[in-house]
Amino acid sequence: MAASRRASDLKKSVDADARSQALALAPLLGHSFENPASLARALTHPSADGAPTRNNQRLEFLGDRVLGLVIAALLMKRFPAEPEGTLSLRLSALVRGETLAQVARTLDLGRYLVLGASEAEGVGRDKPASLANALEAVIAALYLDGGLGAAEAFIARRFEPLLDQGLPPAKDAKTALQEWAQARKRPRPTYRTVTVGGTAHEPLFEIEVEIQGVEPVRATGGSKREAEHAAARLLLEALDRLGHD
């Protein structure tokens, strides 16, 4: 009974901290929240005591998709003559963890996070993966409370300056992944053809990429090269999300 009471008290404490931080952050987001509960959850890190299921991970999942959609639309408008491949590289550069952490720091987002004791005492408030995940969760909170318009307005304000600065396209995904492995003295990534389907005119390749010590990922494409690049891009995004140094 005592343990149950302590757990309940912890949850109440975390919820109260999250609500307080949400109220402090909301004015910086350019949106008046009708229900700030989603923003409070967006600021609750998985390490927060008493919040094993009420953290920001599900919101991060949604925010990642909303961000990708809005950034893709911004790129289509800003670069009307660029082909899909170049737009994809620009998109990868803008939604990768490093860029998200950079944008999060312009909000000083780390100071509003509700963290567990060990994270709060360390560098948790400036950890790139935590900042990137929290920013995606905040975007999801804006979307849930104010619809796509609220999320679009926030993303445009925070990300358009990066477009205006002439952010160059990201490196070729296979090259970037190989450089990632080399910098950490790991073997080169290996690519394996899993399936070849489709038709003679429209083939579909499924490729798996693996790197030592990391869960492999798969992607598909209309050519082996396209599928390999897509798989490399997915693995780079996974490394960013997991905070691999």
Side-chain angles (χ1 to χ4, degrees):
M1 183 69 70
S4 176
R5 188 179 303 113
R6 283 197 298 272
S8 178
D9 290 344
L10 274 174
K11 290 178 182 179
K12 290 178 181 177
S13 176
V14 167
D15 289 345
D17 287 347
R19 285 195 298 270
S20 175
Q21 295 293 65
L23 289 173
L25 175 64
L28 303 180
L29 303 179
H31 173 71
S32 179
F33 280 80
E34 291 186 12
N35 181 5
S38 58
L39 181 58
R41 178 173 286 196
L43 299 175
T44 304
H45 189 268
S47 68
D49 299 325
T53 58
R54 297 196 315 285
N55 56 55
N56 63 10
Q57 289 178 315
R58 284 172 59 85
L59 288 175
E60 172 202 340
F61 168 80
L62 175 60
D64 174 68
R65 275 69 185 173
V66 175
L67 176 65
L69 171 64
V70 174
I71 293 294
L74 287 173
L75 290 172
M76 290 276 288
K77 183 177 180 180
R78 184 62 59 88
F79 304 104
E82 284 193 346
E84 180 272 341
T86 304
L87 291 174
S88 293
L89 291 174
R90 289 187 182 276
L91 177 65
S92 294
L94 286 163
V95 302
R96 64 181 304 172
E98 290 177 0
T99 306
L100 299 187
Q102 176 186 342
V103 173
R105 290 189 181 103
T106 68
L107 285 165
D108 199 12
L109 188 56
R111 69 178 290 191
Y112 300 99
L113 298 183
V114 179
L115 304 169
S118 60
E119 287 286 325
E121 292 170 3
V123 296
R125 295 192 184 280
D126 196 49
K127 190 178 290 184
S130 296
L131 291 173
N133 294 344
L135 183 68
E136 289 178 333
V138 166
I139 289 169
L142 286 164
Y143 172 78
L144 291 173
D145 193 80
L148 186 58
E152 280 183 311
F154 171 79
I155 293 168
R157 283 195 307 274
R158 295 291 167 174
F159 283 83
E160 278 193 334
L162 299 179
L163 273 66
D164 294 337
Q165 291 170 12
L167 184 72
K171 287 181 181 178
D172 169 277
K174 288 185 67 176
T175 301
L177 185 60
Q178 182 173 323
E179 290 178 356
W180 186 95
Q182 289 175 337
R184 292 153 183 82
K185 302 188 185 304
R186 301 191 192 190
R188 295 174 59 160
T190 58
Y191 296 85
R192 180 174 70 88
T193 302
V194 180
T195 61
V196 180
T199 66
H201 296 293
E202 294 184 354
L204 185 66
F205 292 80
E206 182 179 21
I207 299 290
E208 180 179 87
V209 60
E210 184 174 9
I211 215 167
Q212 186 184 70
V214 181
E215 189 75 19
V217 301
R218 295 180 181 183
T220 58
S223 68
K224 187 175 179 181
R225 180 178 181 276
E226 181 182 324
E228 286 179 348
H229 280 274
R233 186 162 56 248
L234 286 177
L235 188 50
L236 285 168
E237 292 171 359
L239 292 170
D240 275 338
R241 287 196 302 271
L242 294 171
H244 279 282
D245 297 325

